[in-house]
């Protein structure tokens, strides 16, 4: 299993490799392959000054080299100097008779700038002609795209809220035997959001199996979410924590961790993690729902009411928000308010499980004193009369609403 410790070990290994490569270069400073390896190692471990030193050394040795010009743009991107990278890339776009690999790298870096500047739609538009052609059944060999382009394309599609398109593209590439493990990790999260659970599980396993030391954030979040669906709190927590070790500010990984804490019965921990997740994604309705349920279990009905009301402010037409409020009002013994929200939830969602639970509270079939049992009812996979399970609510909560 991927852990924070294994990720730290990988970073330490990169630094040791860089030190070793630079010791070789002191004896052979014009060895181009060694310089290229040292530059790549410096980028991987965030040693920007050392990476810049190597690229400037190489540009002085081979001033007409397009490969080193391209590496210079990669160094600028790694440092976050997007303007410098864009200027260099614009010049490289006009390179005559450039090989496909070079053109793809320039395209990737320009699209990456779009993505970094929070313009994923522009990133998709820039990449679409190349990527859609590559997924055509007639394209093989040199027309196939490198893994870095595939990853960026799938990530951009996911960020613009088009997981279905990402899944379809990945399915075509998989059938052709051309879906790289790095891309599979991104496709897995897109599949989860498109409710293609079998694809999500297969692709996440492919990504994690191929890159156990450097898994993608998306693969880790997908695996954590799938573990929640299996009511495996320990595994869900482990993968969520591994994702947060990669990117501590990722709200979705934090939300998955919070649901794992709720499933495990650590209510204070769940509330803490839900609040932390909302710091980075305050508009994520499912996380507000999770916080509301955790507060119900903690018998903080005022806090739960505020959480579900905040969810309603984000979208007044989401049935489960009304259902959650119905449960709160039922537990407060405010039957008129509970009935109003039950009816609203039923009109919007048809089979609102929270609304059904509120009905049970009002009928006296659910003991409002046994709040721990309420969490178990939410997460243990019991089936409602409509044929769905409480876990469906949790899985829906983990998905973004576009």
């Amino acid at each position: 299993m991927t852990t924070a410790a294994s990720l730290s070990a990988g970073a330490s290994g990169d630094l040791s490799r860089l030190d070793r490569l630079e010791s070789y270069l002191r004896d052979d400073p014009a060895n181009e392959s060694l310089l290229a390896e040292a530059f790549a190692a410096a980028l991987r471990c965030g040693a920007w000054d050392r990476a810049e030193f190597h690229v400037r050394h190489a540009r002085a040795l081979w001033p007409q080299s397009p490969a080193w010009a391209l590496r210079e743009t990669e160094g600028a991107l790694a440092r976050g100097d997007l303007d410098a990278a864009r200027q260099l890339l614009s010049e490289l776009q006009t390179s005559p008779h450039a090989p496909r690999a070079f053109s793809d790298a320039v395209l990737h870096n320009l699209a990456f700038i779009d993505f970094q500047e929070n313009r994923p739609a522009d990133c998709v538009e820039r990449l679409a002609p190349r990527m859609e052609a590559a997924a055509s059944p007639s394209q093989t060999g040199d027309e196939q795209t490198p893994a870095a382009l595939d990853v960026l394309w799938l990530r951009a599609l996911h960020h613009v809220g088009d997981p279905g398109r990402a899944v379809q593209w990945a399915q075509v590439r998989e059938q052709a035997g051309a879906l790289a493990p790095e891309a599979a990790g991104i496709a897995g999260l897109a599949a989860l959001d498109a409710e293609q659970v079998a694809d999500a599980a297969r692709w996440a396993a492919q990504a994690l199996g191929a890159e156990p030391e450097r898994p993608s954030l998306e693969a880790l979040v997908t695996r954590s979410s799938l573990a929640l669906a299996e009511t495996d709190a320990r595994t869900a927590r482990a993968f969520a924590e591994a994702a947060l070790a990669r990117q501590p500010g990722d709200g979705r990984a934090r939300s998955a961790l919070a649901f794992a804490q709720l499933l495990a019965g650590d209510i204070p921990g769940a509330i803490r993690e839900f609040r932390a997740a909302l710091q980075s994604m305050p508009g994520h309705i499912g996380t507000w729902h999770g916080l509301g349920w955790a507060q119900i279990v903690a018998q903080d009905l005022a806090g739960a009411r505020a959480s579900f009301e905040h969810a309603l402010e984000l979208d007044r037409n989401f049935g489960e928000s009304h259902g959650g409020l119905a449960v709160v009002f039922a537990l407060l013994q405010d039957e008129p308010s509970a009935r109003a929200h039950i009816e609203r939830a039923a009109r919007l969602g048809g089979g609102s499980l929270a609304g059904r639970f509120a009905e049970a509270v009002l009928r006296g079939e659910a003991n409002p004193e046994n709040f721990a049992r309420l969490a178990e009812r939410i997460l243990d996979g019991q089936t409602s009369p409509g044929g769905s399970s409480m876990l469906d609510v949790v899985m829906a909560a983990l998905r973004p609403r576009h």
Side-chain angles (χ1 to χ4, degrees):
M1 180 182 296
T2 300
T3 64
S6 66
L7 294 173
S8 297
S12 176
D14 284 337
L15 187 58
S16 296
R17 176 173 171 74
L18 175 59
D19 290 339
R20 186 168 61 256
L21 288 167
E22 289 181 339
S23 71
Y24 299 154
L25 281 168
R26 282 192 285 273
D27 295 327
D28 191 4
N31 186 314
E32 186 171 9
S33 62
L34 277 178
L35 273 170
E37 288 185 56
F39 172 77
L43 288 189
R44 281 196 300 271
C45 60
W48 313 134
D49 290 345
R50 292 162 77 173
E52 185 174 5
F53 173 83
H54 293 309
V55 79
R56 290 192 181 282
H57 179 198
R59 292 301 308 270
L61 291 172
W62 306 287
Q64 303 304 315
S65 168
W68 280 105
L70 186 59
R71 289 189 182 99
E72 186 174 2
T73 74
E74 292 169 356
L77 287 173
R79 296 192 309 274
D81 190 348
L82 302 186
D83 290 337
R86 185 186 292 107
Q87 181 177 347
L88 289 165
L89 288 164
S90 297
E91 296 170 2
L92 294 178
Q93 268 190 309
T94 61
S95 300
H97 311 299
R100 172 64 77 182
F102 182 85
S103 298
D104 279 345
V106 171
L107 174 63
H108 171 274
N109 290 353
L110 283 168
F112 181 76
I113 292 172
D114 294 334
F115 193 84
Q116 288 295 98
E117 292 181 335
N118 198 28
R119 293 182 288 108
D122 290 344
C123 181
V124 168
E125 183 179 0
R126 187 186 297 273
L127 292 175
R130 175 74 176 107
M131 304 310 293
E132 290 174 346
S136 169
S138 64
Q139 301 301 326
T140 57
D142 290 342
E143 292 302 310
Q144 294 295 344
T145 50
L149 262 185
D150 296 353
V151 165
L152 182 58
W153 167 244
L154 291 168
R155 191 166 278 154
L157 285 174
H158 190 242
H159 276 252
V160 298
D162 199 352
R165 186 178 175 189
V167 170
Q168 290 175 358
W169 188 90
Q171 287 170 338
V172 171
R173 294 304 295 271
E174 183 180 42
Q175 290 167 5
L179 185 64
E182 307 97 296
I186 319 300
L189 188 57
L192 187 71
D193 291 344
E195 302 183 48
Q196 302 291 326
V197 176
D199 286 338
R202 185 176 66 258
W203 288 335
Q206 179 185 347
L208 293 169
E211 296 188 304
E213 301 302 323
R214 289 184 172 277
S216 70
L217 176 72
E218 290 89 345
L220 293 168
V221 171
T222 300
R223 187 63 187 88
S224 177
S225 301
L226 291 170
L228 284 174
E230 298 162 356
T231 64
D232 183 349
R234 178 176 294 182
T235 298
R237 177 175 178 172
F239 279 101
E241 288 177 340
L244 290 167
R246 288 291 304 274
Q247 192 166 325
D250 187 76
R252 191 143 180 206
R254 186 72 62 183
S255 186
L257 176 58
F259 275 103
Q261 302 282 56
L262 181 58
L263 176 60
D266 180 359
I267 305 308
I271 291 173
R272 182 180 62 251
E273 297 300 342
F274 279 127
R275 292 194 184 281
L278 289 166
Q279 291 295 313
S280 58
M281 49 179 198
H284 192 254
I285 293 173
T287 301
W288 283 106
H289 287 179
L291 176 59
W293 284 113
Q295 289 167 322
I296 287 175
V297 177
Q299 304 187 44
D300 177 9
L301 298 184
R305 176 178 176 177
S307 294
F308 285 115
E309 286 178 342
H310 193 97
L312 276 180
E313 290 174 7
L314 295 169
D315 183 352
R316 302 205 68 81
N317 295 315
F318 192 26
E320 286 301 329
S321 298
H322 289 281
L325 268 178
V327 173
V328 172
F329 284 121
L331 292 169
L332 289 169
Q333 300 181 350
D334 182 348
E335 184 169 353
S337 296
R339 292 284 179 199
H341 284 287
I342 288 170
E343 293 172 5
R344 182 67 170 156
R347 286 198 302 271
L348 290 170
S352 168
L353 295 175
R356 292 176 186 277
F357 190 88
E359 287 272 18
V361 173
L362 292 174
R363 291 194 302 267
E365 297 173 5
N367 180 3
E369 302 303 319
N370 190 353
F371 290 91
R373 178 60 179 160
L374 175 57
E376 191 177 338
R377 286 283 301 275
I378 295 167
L379 292 164
D380 70 1
Q382 292 189 24
T383 301
S384 75
S388 57
S389 72
M390 286 293 187
L391 273 172
D392 294 330
V393 177
V394 176
M395 294 305 292
L398 287 169
R399 299 184 186 107
R401 286 173 60 79
H402 298 290

